[in-house]
């Protein structure tokens, strides 16, 4: 099983790297994430240059696609050519967004009437796209999920791992990366966010 962590120029390192690193703890179980980029190299909002592991066309093969955020997301959603390279299909893929990535899902017409989570800076732009924004870190309906706040990327990764491998696999990953002495509460906080986010507004 493969996950495309879509990473555009100007990306937020926390969004792409936390999600991919957590998911890649599951390689032994057959789940692997790849930094997926529209150009061979992208540069983060803080000047970190990264070589993509997969081209953007990889999203059509992936079992899950996570759209990261960054300082140039509004440029992304204004680029019809770029958006045509994102033919996402929630009927057969898990599709998630982090912070301003919700703008991409909205522009692709994937959210419909579904509310979304995003960060405070992106909120007015997501609302201007006609999307109701929740004061919550994570929300999912069916195969679509959104997360808000950089560190909520752990919840997006937890959702993917839980959906594709089960809760025990997610527990194992979270327990490994949690701060020493805070493992139980870290694990339960992430799982609670995902469980409550799935149940919200039903």
């Amino acid at each position: 099983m493969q996950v495309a962590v879509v990473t555009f120029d100007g990306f937020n390192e926390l969004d792409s790297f936390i999600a991919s690193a957590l998911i890649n703890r599951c390689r032994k179980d057959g789940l692997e994430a790849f930094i997926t980029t529209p150009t061979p190299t992208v540069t983060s909002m803080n000047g970190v240059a990264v070589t993509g592991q997969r081209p953007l066309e990889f999203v059509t093969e992936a079992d899950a696609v996570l759209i990261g955020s960054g300082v140039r997301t509004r440029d992304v959603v204004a680029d019809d050519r770029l958006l045509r390279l994102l033919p996402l299909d929630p009927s057969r893929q898990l599709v998630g967004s982090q912070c301003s990535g919700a703008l991409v899902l909205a522009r692709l017409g994937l959210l419909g009437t579904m509310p979304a989570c995003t960060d405070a800076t992106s909120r007015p732009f997501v609302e201007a796209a006609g999307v109701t924004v929740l004061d919550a870190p994570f929300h999912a309906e069916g195969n679509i999920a959104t997360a808000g706040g950089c560190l909520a990327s752990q919840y997006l990764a937890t959702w993917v791992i839980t959906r594709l491998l089960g809760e025990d696999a997610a527990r194992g990953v979270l327990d490994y990366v949690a701060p020493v002495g805070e493992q139980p509460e870290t694990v339960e906080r992430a799982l609670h966010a995902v469980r409550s986010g799935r149940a919200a507004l039903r």
Side-chain angles (χ1 to χ4, degrees):
M1 295 173 286
Q2 302 181 109
V3 181
V5 180
V6 177
T7 303
F8 298 108
D9 216 32
F11 72 96
N12 184 317
E13 300 95 332
L14 293 173
D15 296 346
S16 292
F17 295 158
I18 289 175
S20 62
L22 292 180
I23 292 167
N24 279 327
R25 292 274 174 193
C26 299
R27 281 197 187 106
K28 67 183 186 303
D29 297 315
L31 179 61
E32 190 168 9
F34 300 92
I35 298 296
T36 302
T37 57
T39 54
T41 301
V42 292
T43 302
S44 79
M45 60 192 294
N46 293 307
V48 179
V50 173
T51 299
Q53 296 173 290
R54 294 289 186 275
L56 201 56
E57 291 80 1
F58 172 66
V59 299
T60 61
E61 305 173 30
D63 301 283
V65 179
L66 302 181
I67 308 293
S69 80
V71 295
R72 298 183 183 169
T73 306
R74 282 185 286 161
D75 295 332
V76 171
V77 298
D79 188 336
D80 290 337
R81 181 199 60 80
L82 193 55
L83 292 177
R84 282 195 292 271
L85 297 176
L86 293 170
L88 307 184
D89 183 0
S91 70
R92 63 176 184 83
Q93 296 173 305
L94 298 180
V95 177
S97 69
Q98 179 67 40
C99 293
S100 65
L103 279 172
V104 178
L105 297 193
R107 182 71 169 77
L108 292 173
L110 297 178
L111 294 179
T113 59
M114 174 181 167
C117 300
T118 191
D119 62 285
T121 301
S122 302
R123 181 170 188 150
F125 303 107
V126 176
E127 289 177 331
V131 178
T132 298
V133 174
L134 301 174
D135 289 317
F138 178 84
H139 179 70
E141 293 184 14
N143 286 345
I144 299 178
T146 59
C150 301
L151 294 181
S153 52
Q154 65 183 298
Y155 303 152
L156 205 54
T158 297
W159 175 71
V160 169
I161 296 168
T162 300
R163 287 290 306 272
L164 295 179
L165 293 176
E167 192 171 288
D168 286 346
R171 283 183 177 277
V173 170
L174 293 164
D175 183 76
Y176 187 91
V177 302
V180 173
E182 297 180 3
Q183 287 93 336
E185 54 263 50
T186 300
V187 171
E188 291 309 318
R189 182 185 305 112
L191 292 174
H192 173 73
V194 170
R195 291 189 197 115
S196 62
R198 282 199 303 250
L201 301 184
R202 287 188 177 179

